[in-house]
């Protein structure tokens, strides 16, 4: 398999992996909450890997800065999810929730900054770079501005559709990466 095929597959896994794990496996009750979170974490790790592989094709400060933000935010989000899934005490979800929204918002801000970097390259069409910038910035702003209570109340109505929109952008990036003619 070529590097661009692996890179494209990583984008597709980044876009679909956590959706499949949370919605198809987690919601069915086939796995415990802790196992669902672990498997979702493994799929989420493909996000910075997919973006990092594009660094080898084109390097610029925006891509690097966005990648760093993604790694920091993803790390915080994964810690939060692990705390939530441990269900050690009633405080587990409070502690996890205190970390979650900040971490995930930083990750989406990193997507947006990386999208700005992609505008300065020919890795993706400009419309796709703008789709990444706008979709991820809207998700960032929503997660950053609302309180944890407001976010908990809007998970199904707003957070889930924004999450799916960002996932769709990642899948499209994966398809474009696989089809890329630039090495």
């Amino acid at each position: 398999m070529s590097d661009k095929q692996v890179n494209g597959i990583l984008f597709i896994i980044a876009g679909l992996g956590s959706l499949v794990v949370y919605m198809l496996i987690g919601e069915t009750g086939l796995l415990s909450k802790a196992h669902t979170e672990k498997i979702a974490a493994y799929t989420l790790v493909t996000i910075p890997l997919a973006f990092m592989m594009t660094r080898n094709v084109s390097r610029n400060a925006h891509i690097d800065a966005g990648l760093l933000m993604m790694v920091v935010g993803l790390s915080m989000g994964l810690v939060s999810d692990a705390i939530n899934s441990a269900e050690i005490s009633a405080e587990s979800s409070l502690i996890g929730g205190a970390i979650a929204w900040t971490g995930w918002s930083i990750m989406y801000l990193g997507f947006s900054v990386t999208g700005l970097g992609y505008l300065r390259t020919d890795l993706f069409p400009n419309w796709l770079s703008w789709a990444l910038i706008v979709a991820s910035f809207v998700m960032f702003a929503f997660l950053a501005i609302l309180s944890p209570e407001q976010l908990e109340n809007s998970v199904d109505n707003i957070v889930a559709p924004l999450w799916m929109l960002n996932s769709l952008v990642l899948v499209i990036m994966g398809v474009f990466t696989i089809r890329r003619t630039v090495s």
Side-chain angles (χ1 to χ4, degrees):
M1 221 183 301
S2 71
D3 285 351
K4 70 178 187 174
Q5 289 172 319
V6 170
N7 191 199
I9 290 168
L10 286 171
F11 271 117
I12 292 168
I13 292 170
L16 296 176
S18 60
L19 290 173
V20 168
V21 171
Y22 284 122
M23 295 179 158
L24 297 180
I25 298 172
E27 291 295 319
T28 62
L30 291 174
L31 297 175
S32 69
K33 186 175 181 180
H35 283 100
T36 300
E37 290 294 348
K38 279 185 185 178
I39 294 170
Y42 301 137
T43 65
L44 288 168
V45 169
T46 62
I47 293 170
L49 293 176
F51 282 99
M52 187 171 57
M53 285 185 76
T54 64
R55 289 185 72 249
N56 294 333
V57 178
S58 178
R59 295 173 187 243
N60 70 40
H62 287 91
I63 293 172
D64 291 347
L67 179 59
L68 181 60
M69 294 169 82
M70 277 184 246
V71 171
V72 168
L74 178 65
S75 299
M76 290 174 68
L78 293 176
V79 167
S80 167
D81 286 353
I83 291 169
N84 280 335
S85 68
E87 299 178 355
I88 297 168
S89 68
E91 289 81 26
S92 292
S93 52
L94 293 173
I95 295 167
I99 301 168
W101 302 116
T102 302
W104 295 123
S105 68
I106 291 170
M107 185 183 78
Y108 283 103
L109 181 59
F111 284 17
S112 207
V113 171
T114 301
L116 289 171
Y118 288 152
L119 283 176
R120 301 173 62 201
T121 71
D122 61 353
L123 289 172
F124 299 103
N126 280 347
W127 68 265
L128 186 52
S129 295
W130 277 109
L132 177 64
I133 292 165
V134 171
S136 59
F137 190 80
V138 168
M139 182 71 150
F140 156 73
F142 188 75
L143 295 175
I145 292 169
L146 295 182
S147 71
E149 296 79 26
Q150 291 170 316
L151 288 166
E152 286 297 329
N153 293 333
S154 63
V155 166
D156 292 336
N157 299 336
I158 300 172
V159 174
L162 288 175
W163 176 36
M164 288 179 206
L165 177 63
N166 278 277
S167 294
L168 177 63
V169 171
L170 291 174
V171 170
I172 294 169
M173 290 174 73
V175 171
F176 271 89
T177 300
I178 290 171
R179 300 187 64 198
R180 181 183 318 143
T181 56
V182 178
S183 50

